[in-house]
């Protein structure tokens, strides 16, 4: 059963081959069996899940099925869940129980899905390896000594290890696509504004976007239809109609003209380049035209991102002061000490580093030198993408510079860690949608192919991804590290 896709499981449930309760128990059992090795969940919501599964079975018996009725799902612990702990991977929120559901959670609930747990993540989604979580690092199911990527590493590892058929994630600079690449699954970051951010704990609000993980492009299409759409509680959410992404990605012709940024291939690791060349051959045999393009400013993406994201986080995280939100320190003599002690105790090192950098970049005298400059680079990156999309339908490249690295390998070198996002941050800065799908193996570890589309062109991305998965079977490879 763990080899089945979400859509296959949905068929099995609808044809009553399996009940939702049986399916939910199957995944809960796998969590019990394997998660002590992976640490991909912060909270397992067994009781809640079994209750919901019972209700789903009653509905199925009456023929009342919605898009995801009876399907278990793992939720990143950045989404507020009513009555169930939401930690954001931080000591700061380690006891936080939200009084409401995030819109993404609400919509997935409405479609009948069943939350089986809240997944581990880098603290406040800051990280590329899942080593900054207060709840310990997550292990990659392909090699337990390696990181799963971050920040949505728990979600990615849980889907890769079939502890859940699908999961939610968030992507501010690559946190869905990079862990999808490192764990050999599909991860989709939609266009900025396609999915409501209400109830999703804020990191960098102009970049944050909710998305999903699953084993196939079709599964991602189905999930995207469930979570997308306008939400009056998020004024940046788009009013554009939500298409039936599954239908569209099945019926669209394969997008013809695919651009490959020359900058993405410069200094590329030899093994990754070899796998990518193989992909290009495959795409040509699918009648795609591959054209070289240039995204000159993408080289500056990480630098601009590492100013914009910390600047926004320094403001967003100011609410955690032990009074309004978050951990509250004991034994303090005045309010200033309360703020200081609560924040010192509640935040981990990476979060503190970002707050310091962000506050500095926004301070008088440095604002023009750093923040304004970063925003100018952001505009340049956007206009280069716009120009590129006048000439090509989609843009592709490797998702990450290499396969999963060893736990601890980059923790003492933040710059090396930040460079894990070199191919993903530009799309966030430009607000574009992109997916990572498995494209091959290097040293028995998975590598992801990134497909970037123009704003709101998710169907085109999914269509190419789906057709690639028709002629290749990289997405069917199972991790070997859990035996
Ligand atoms: N790895 C990036 C960072 O640490 C991106 C994180 C994210 O997308 N949430 O900021």
């Amino acid at each position: 059963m763990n080899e089945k896709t979400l859509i296959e499981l949905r068929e099995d449930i609808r044809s009553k081959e399996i009940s939702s309760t049986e399916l939910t128990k199957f995944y809960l059992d796998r969590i019990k069996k394997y998660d002590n090795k992976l640490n991909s969940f912060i909270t397992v919501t067994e009781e809640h899940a079994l209750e919901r599964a019972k209700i789903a079975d009653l509905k199925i018996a009456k023929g009342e099925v919605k898009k995801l009725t009876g399907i278990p799902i793992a939720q990143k612990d950045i989404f507020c869940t009513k009555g169930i702990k939401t930690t954001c991977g931080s000591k700061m929120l380690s006891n936080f129980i939200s009084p409401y559901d995030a819109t993404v959670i609400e919509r997935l609930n409405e479609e009948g899905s069943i939350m089986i747990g809240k997944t581990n993540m880098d603290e406040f989604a800051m990280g590329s390896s899942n080593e900054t979580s207060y709840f310990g690092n997550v292990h990659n199911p392909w090699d337990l000594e390696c990181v799963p990527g971050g920040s949505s590493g728990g979600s990615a590892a849980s889907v890769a290890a079939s502890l859940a058929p699908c999961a939610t994630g968030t992507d501010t600079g690559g946190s869905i696509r990079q862990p999808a690449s490192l764990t050999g699954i599909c991860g989709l970051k939609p266009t900025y504004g396609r999915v409501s951010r209400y109830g999703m704990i804020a990191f960098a609000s102009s970049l944050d976007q909710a998305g999903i993980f699953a084993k196939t492009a079709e599964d991602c299409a189905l999930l995207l239809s469930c979570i997308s759409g306008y939400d009056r509680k998020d004024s940046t959410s788009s009013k554009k109609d939500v298409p039936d992404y599954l239908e569209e990605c099945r019926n669209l012709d394969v997008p013809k003209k695919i651009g490959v940024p020359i900058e993405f291939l410069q200094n590329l690791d030899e093994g990754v380049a070899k796998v990518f060349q193989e992909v290009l051959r495959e795409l040509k045999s699918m009648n795609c035209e591959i054209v070289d393009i240039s995204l000159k400013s993408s080289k500056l993406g990480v630098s601009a991102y590492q100013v914009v994201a910390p600047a926004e986080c320094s403001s967003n995280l100011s609410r955690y002061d032990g009074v309004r939100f978050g951990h509250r320190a004991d034994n303090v003599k005045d309010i200033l000490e309360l703020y200081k002690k609560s924040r010192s105790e509640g935040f981990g090192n990476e979060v503190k580093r970002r707050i310091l950098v962000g506050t500095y970049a926004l301070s008088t005298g440095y604002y023009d030198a750093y923040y304004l400059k970063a925003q100018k680079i952001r505009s340049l990156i956007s206009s280069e993408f716009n120009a590129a999309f006048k000439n090509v339908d989609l843009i592709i490249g490797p998702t990450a510079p290499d396969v999963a690295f060893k736990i601890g390998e980059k923790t003492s070198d933040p710059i090396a860690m930040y460079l894990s996002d070199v191919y993903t941050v530009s799309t966030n800065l430009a607000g574009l949608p992109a997916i990572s799908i498995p494209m091959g193996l290097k040293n028995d570890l998975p590598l992801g192919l990134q497909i970037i589309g123009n704003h709101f062109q998710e169907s085109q991305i999914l269509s190419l991804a789906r057709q690639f998965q028709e002629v290749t079977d990289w997405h069917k490879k199972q991790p070997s590290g859990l035996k």
Side-chain angles (χ1 to χ4, degrees):
M1 192 136 58
N2 52 341
E3 285 172 16
K4 290 202 169 174
T5 68
L6 171 57
I7 288 177
E8 287 164 351
L9 291 171
R10 185 167 84 142
E11 283 314 307
D12 289 352
I13 283 195
R14 289 181 171 186
S15 64
K16 306 201 179 66
E17 196 140 306
I18 186 169
S19 70
S20 171
T21 304
E22 284 166 328
L23 190 63
T24 305
K25 280 191 175 151
F26 170 80
Y27 286 108
L28 288 169
D29 284 347
R30 284 187 66 83
I31 295 174
K32 279 183 198 145
K33 193 157 165 208
Y34 296 115
D35 208 42
N36 56 347
K37 292 187 182 150
L38 295 175
N39 195 26
S40 65
F41 284 88
I42 292 175
T43 307
V44 179
T45 51
E46 178 163 3
E47 214 175 299
H48 162 94
L50 291 173
E51 244 167 61
R52 294 256 319 163
K54 214 195 259 166
I55 299 170
D57 283 331
L58 289 175
K59 294 237 157 106
I60 295 160
K62 286 196 244 159
E64 290 171 14
V65 287
K66 294 212 180 150
K67 286 200 187 80
L68 297 174
T69 300
I71 297 289
I73 185 166
Q75 306 285 15
K76 184 175 183 181
D77 210 14
I78 196 168
F79 292 101
C80 287
T81 43
K82 189 175 172 178
I84 290 166
K85 199 168 65 172
T86 300
T87 71
C88 216
S90 181
K91 177 175 178 183
M92 192 54 104
L93 291 174
S94 54
N95 292 317
F96 174 58
I97 308 241
S98 166
Y100 62 89
D101 278 327
T103 299
V104 163
I105 301 285
E106 199 178 272
R107 290 191 172 163
L108 288 167
N109 281 343
E110 265 165 30
E111 292 297 345
S113 70
I114 292 167
M115 172 169 68
I116 52 171
K118 306 285 302 278
T119 58
N120 203 346
M121 54 179 285
D122 278 305
E123 185 178 9
F124 284 100
M126 298 173 198
S128 307
S129 64
N130 227 295
E131 291 166 291
T132 73
S133 170
Y134 174 64
F135 300 90
N137 52 273
V138 177
H139 299 257
N140 190 318
W142 290 79
D143 178 345
L144 296 175
E145 286 176 19
C146 287
V147 304
S151 66
S152 316
S155 287
S158 70
V159 173
S162 301
L163 308 189
C166 54
T168 49
T170 60
D171 192 312
T172 304
S175 276
I176 291 176
R177 291 159 288 155
Q178 187 253 11
S181 175
L182 271 47
T183 58
I185 59 169
C186 302
L188 175 71
K189 172 222 172 282
T191 306
Y192 184 80
R194 179 75 294 190
V195 180
S196 166
R197 288 180 295 110
Y198 180 74
M200 183 176 120
I201 294 173
F203 163 12
S205 307
S206 76
L207 302 160
D208 294 343
Q209 190 52 207
I212 55 251
F213 293 97
K215 295 235 170 101
T216 68
E218 286 199 350
D219 289 354
C220 288
L222 171 62
L223 291 162
L224 182 63
S225 293
C226 299
I227 61 171
S228 296
Y230 174 68
D231 175 11
R232 61 177 185 81
K233 297 184 208 132
D234 173 5
S235 60
T236 63
S237 67
S238 166
K239 288 195 170 146
K240 247 184 184 329
D241 282 345
V242 178
D244 183 336
Y245 289 108
L246 185 55
E247 196 59 31
E248 286 202 349
C249 87
R250 281 176 172 164
N251 296 326
L252 273 180
D253 286 337
V254 57
K256 286 277 175 298
K257 222 167 161 189
I258 317 279
V260 178
I262 46 175
E263 291 78 9
F264 285 18
L265 303 184
Q266 285 159 359
N267 309 317
L268 188 61
D269 170 87
E270 222 175 278
V272 181
K274 217 169 114 199
V275 169
F276 186 67
Q277 289 307 327
E278 208 42 61
V279 170
L280 294 182
R281 258 193 294 280
E282 196 64 64
L283 291 175
K284 282 180 195 152
S285 73
M286 289 161 61
N287 287 328
C288 294
E289 183 192 346
I290 307 290
V291 287
D292 285 341
I293 60 165
S294 174
L295 294 173
K296 271 205 301 287
S297 309
S298 63
K299 284 184 182 158
L300 306 171
V302 173
S303 311
Y305 172 86
Q306 285 299 344
V307 173
V308 174
E312 293 187 24
C313 103
S314 73
S315 158
N316 272 327
L317 270 58
S318 66
R319 73 191 66 168
Y320 305 105
D321 55 10
V323 178
R324 291 174 297 168
F325 290 98
H327 167 79
R328 182 176 200 141
D330 291 329
N331 301 327
V332 292
K333 60 175 188 311
D334 55 25
I335 184 82
L336 197 62
E337 199 187 336
L338 174 69
Y339 290 158
K340 270 194 188 162
K341 230 177 141 193
S342 300
R343 286 169 72 80
S344 304
E345 290 172 0
F347 290 135
N349 284 344
E350 183 61 27
V351 173
K352 284 177 187 159
R353 177 164 29 231
R354 306 268 181 128
I355 293 173
L356 286 174
V357 169
T359 308
Y360 180 82
L362 289 177
S363 56
T364 320
Y366 297 104
Y367 180 90
D368 290 356
Y370 296 106
Y371 186 72
L372 213 59
K373 214 181 234 170
Q375 291 293 17
K376 284 182 183 163
I377 295 173
R378 188 172 184 175
S379 302
L380 263 181
I381 289 176
S382 282
S383 48
E384 283 177 14
F385 270 118
N386 282 342
F389 280 122
K390 292 217 165 78
N391 189 31
V392 297
D393 300 314
L394 295 166
I395 295 172
I396 61 164
T399 307
D402 211 336
V403 293
F405 46 93
K406 290 264 187 280
I407 292 170
E409 192 179 315
K410 296 189 180 174
T411 36
S412 56
D413 186 352
I415 307 280
M417 187 71 90
Y418 296 166
L419 286 173
S420 309
D421 308 322
V422 59
Y423 302 128
T424 50
V425 287
S426 299
T427 51
N428 297 76
L429 290 165
L432 296 167
I435 198 170
S436 177
I437 61 170
M439 69 164 176
L441 298 175
K442 182 193 143 187
N443 305 335
D444 294 327
L445 290 171
L447 279 167
L449 167 70
Q450 181 173 215
I451 308 174
I452 307 169
N454 207 345
H455 295 107
F456 297 99
Q457 295 303 317
E458 282 84 354
S459 292
Q460 287 223 16
I461 295 176
L462 289 161
S463 156
L464 182 68
R466 186 189 71 77
Q467 290 176 66
F468 182 77
Q469 293 184 333
E470 249 176 22
V471 294
T472 59
D473 62 1
W474 297 112
H475 58 292
K476 294 189 181 143
K477 299 259 180 270
Q478 300 277 337
S480 48
L482 273 183
K483 284 183 190 130

